[in-house]
Each structure stands twice: as structure tokens, then as C-alpha cells.
């Protein structure tokens, strides 16, 4: 005969360095809390300059942050590609690279880019400081 087993026992949880401690409850941090920079929904035109391509790609932003953006383009750009993002309103450019493979959606290819150096003024909007975790 086998010994009785506990019913509804939760599996043991491995300790995590990204656990936010509350009054009496510990929970994993949300993606928003782990994020390095605050994201803002902002649809604005951008021009993407890819070395080796004769013509720039015209697209628009989906979300932006001080360190990059999710850009919607008519075609995908491979992960790791270095490029320049141009804000046609200000004619400023910033160097960036594609951080993950693009994903297709109804508007085109979602291309996540990260600036080589954080550039909070590039989008011409104000980013409030991150809340302390």
C-alpha cells in the first residue's frame, strides 16, 4: 500500500531574483516592471536607412521608448541588422539595430529596434522617470 498523498499541493517554487516583495505576498515582476525604459503608444512616420539598400524604407512607429521602438514596415528586416532611424519631422537620425525577428501583423512587419545609445529626445516627446521598484 502506498502512503497517502496531499491533494492540491502546490509545486515548490524556485527562488527568483526578480520577485517584487509586498506586504505579505511575493510575486514575480510584470513585464512592465522589468522593462528598462517606459514605452509609449505613438504612431508617427519614420524613415529606415539600411546599409546596402538603395532606397530607404518608409514606415511608422507602433510604440516608442527612450531606447528604441517597435516599427511597422512594409517588409521585415533580419534580427541583428544595423540601421538608421530617421524622424522626418525633425530630420534627426539615430543608429539602431534589430533586436528580434520581425512579426507579421495586419499593417505589415513589426520590427523591434534598439538604439545603440539611449536617445530620449529623438521622438520629441517627454518620458516621465521610471517608478522605483
Amino acid at each position: 500500500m502506498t502512503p497517502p498523498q496531499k491533494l492540491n499541493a502546490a509545486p515548490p517554487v524556485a527562488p527568483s531574483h526578480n520577485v517584487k516583495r509586498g506586504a505579505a505576498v511575493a510575486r514575480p515582476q510584470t513585464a512592465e516592471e522589468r522593462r528598462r525604459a517606459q514605452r509609449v503608444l505613438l504612431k508617427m512616420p519614420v524613415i529606415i536607412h539600411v546599409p546596402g539598400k538603395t532606397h530607404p524604407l518608409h514606415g511608422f512607429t507602433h510604440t516608442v521608448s527612450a531606447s528604441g521602438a517597435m516599427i511597422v514596415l512594409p517588409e521585415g528586416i533580419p534580427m541583428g541588422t544595423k540601421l538608421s532611424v530617421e524622424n522626418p519631422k525633425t530630420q534627426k537620425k539615430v543608429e539602431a539595430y534589430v533586436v528580434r525577428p520581425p512579426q507579421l501583423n495586419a499593417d505589415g512587419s513589426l520590427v523591434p529596434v534598439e538604439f545603440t545609445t539611449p536617445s530620449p529626445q529623438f521622438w520629441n516627446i517627454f518620458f516621465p522617470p521610471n517608478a522605483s521598484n
Side-chain angles (χ1 to χ4, degrees):
M1 196 167 178
T2 60
Q5 296 179 355
K6 285 186 183 179
L7 295 177
N8 297 327
V13 177
S16 173
H17 63 80
N18 65 348
V19 172
K20 187 167 183 146
R21 308 242 177 242
V25 178
R27 65 169 175 78
Q29 288 181 324
T30 65
E32 188 66 33
E33 291 167 335
R34 284 190 309 269
R35 207 163 267 141
R36 286 175 295 161
Q38 184 177 13
R39 291 181 183 172
V40 176
L41 285 169
L42 176 68
K43 184 175 181 177
M44 65 176 281
V46 290
I47 301 171
I48 305 299
H49 302 272
V50 181
K53 285 200 178 252
T54 54
H55 300 290
L57 297 171
H58 293 264
F60 57 92
T61 60
H62 178 271
T63 53
V64 300
S65 74
S67 59
M70 180 67 76
I71 299 174
V72 181
L73 294 170
E75 63 184 74
I77 300 175
M79 180 176 153
T81 303
K82 291 187 91 169
L83 48 84
S84 294
V85 180
E86 181 180 346
N87 180 338
K89 194 171 196 171
T90 62
Q91 297 183 337
K92 290 183 181 176
K93 288 183 185 177
V94 67
E95 299 299 313
Y97 60 96
V98 180
V99 292
R100 288 187 312 279
Q103 296 178 344
L104 288 176
N105 80 356
D107 296 325
S109 288
L110 291 170
V111 179
V113 300
E114 185 174 315
F115 300 151
T116 54
T117 329
S119 303
Q121 290 83 27
F122 179 75
W123 302 114
N124 226 15
I125 63 173
F126 174 73
F127 289 98
N130 284 346
S132 303
N133 291 359

